[in-house]
Amino acid sequence: MIEAVIFDWAGTTVDYGCFAPVKAFMEAFAHHGVPVTMEETRKPMGMLKRDHIRTMLHMERIAAEWKRVHGHEATEEAVDAVYAQFEPKLFSILDQYAAPKPFAVETAAKLRVKIGSTTGYTDAMMNIVAPKAAQQGYAPDFWISPDGVGGRGRPYPYMIFANMQALGLTAVGNVVKVGDTISDIKEGVNAGVWTAGVIEGSSELGLSQQEYEAMSPQERETACQKVEERFRRAGAHFVVRDLSQLPDLVHACGFKNMRR
């Protein structure tokens, strides 16, 4: 049987569209004379934030532009410089992006299993997000950031294993990981747990709730299908449109686990 569901935070259970870190990343790069696109910014989403910046600086276009603007290739000093701008920008807005997504509170209660969580945020960031989400009804039984596993965030599996230890879980086959990014999917796959991607409100979809609801049914279907395909290619066992579908999925996972 399924003992626990381990959720991501921004884009999965809070911050519809995962806009807080995107905004801060884009402003941080622009400060250093290297504007980046939303698509570029979202590609590494879900990683530890320093790793996210490092990954972006190694993207071909961004790397070339950094060298053109600064006269040298991006080094670890560049990672530090961008992060030095990113962190205060994120902290200045983070409390505004902690509202639970549709169905998050109801689904967590309906699941009737232990609720864990992993994140790309640091402890300091989570100390803002977690209390704000709790005030609005969403409070998992346990959360851990990359800070708690020696900085080895996604796609490493260690945050999931830390959840399993803290929650007293017995086997990876009894765990479902749910996230909204490719990094989330890889984290779950690397841990050997059931892994599911959620589409609506995800960083992969990259739309605000207003933008999504303004789309025609056909436009929604096309956009969601593209995200599902990316999740599946990354190794997701399941993909749900929104969190309201999760209880039935968890029941199905429990049945399949018993049949292994």
Side-chain angles (χ1 to χ4, degrees):
M1 61 177 290
I2 298 302
E3 299 176 89
V5 175
I6 300 175
F7 288 101
D8 169 53
W9 283 79
T12 300
T13 51
V14 303
D15 186 8
Y16 192 108
C18 194
F19 280 99
V22 170
K23 179 179 175 64
F25 280 128
M26 293 181 74
E27 290 185 4
F29 273 89
H31 176 86
H32 288 284
V34 183
V36 294
T37 68
M38 186 173 292
E39 181 180 2
E40 290 169 332
T41 303
R42 287 189 181 278
K43 281 184 180 179
M45 197 62 73
M47 301 175 73
L48 176 66
K49 301 316 177 192
R50 283 186 182 275
D51 292 340
H52 187 129
I53 290 169
R54 188 177 295 110
T55 299
M56 289 182 68
L57 285 168
H58 283 90
M59 291 179 181
E60 185 175 356
R61 189 201 68 80
I62 295 175
E65 186 64 7
W66 186 277
K67 185 174 183 179
R68 186 189 70 79
V69 172
H70 295 278
H72 56 80
E73 294 182 352
T75 62
E76 281 301 299
E77 290 182 356
V79 176
D80 292 340
V82 176
Y83 189 83
Q85 289 294 318
F86 165 79
E87 188 175 68
K89 290 180 186 296
L90 183 60
F91 276 117
S92 72
I93 62 173
L94 203 48
D95 63 341
Q96 303 168 41
Y97 291 87
K101 285 176 55 183
F103 311 114
V105 175
E106 303 92 324
T107 295
K110 190 175 180 180
L111 284 170
R112 298 185 182 279
V113 297
K114 294 176 181 178
I115 304 296
S117 61
T118 67
T119 182
Y121 285 150
T122 63
D123 280 354
M125 295 168 190
M126 283 301 299
N127 286 333
I128 295 174
V129 174
K132 285 288 184 180
Q135 290 172 8
Q136 299 173 77
Y138 177 70
D141 299 307
F142 177 77
W143 65 260
I144 192 168
S145 85
D147 290 344
V149 290
R152 291 182 174 87
R154 302 169 186 143
Y156 289 105
Y158 305 124
M159 289 190 291
I160 289 178
F161 296 152
N163 269 266
M164 292 185 65
Q165 182 178 25
L167 297 173
L169 310 182
T170 62
V172 293
N174 297 342
V175 178
V176 180
K177 168 66 204 299
V178 183
D180 72 303
T181 67
I182 299 303
S183 293
D184 281 299
I185 303 304
K186 290 180 178 179
E187 177 190 35
V189 170
N190 288 341
V193 301
W194 294 108
T195 303
V198 59
I199 297 176
E200 289 187 15
S202 69
S203 181
E204 281 297 307
L205 189 60
L207 299 172
S208 68
Q209 189 169 1
Q210 293 78 11
E211 288 171 330
Y212 181 74
E213 292 175 351
M215 299 172 78
S216 69
Q218 183 58 50
E219 288 172 331
R220 288 188 195 181
E221 192 60 37
T222 299
C224 289
Q225 185 61 41
K226 290 179 179 178
V227 173
E228 177 167 358
E229 289 171 359
R230 292 199 292 272
F231 282 152
R232 296 284 187 185
R233 286 198 300 269
H237 298 104
F238 305 98
V239 178
V240 294
R241 185 63 60 94
D242 61 53
L243 292 177
S244 70
Q245 298 176 340
L246 201 57
D248 287 343
L249 170 65
V250 169
H251 174 75
C253 288
F255 175 76
K256 290 187 177 185
N257 188 46
M258 288 187 288
R259 295 288 296 274
R260 278 183 171 180

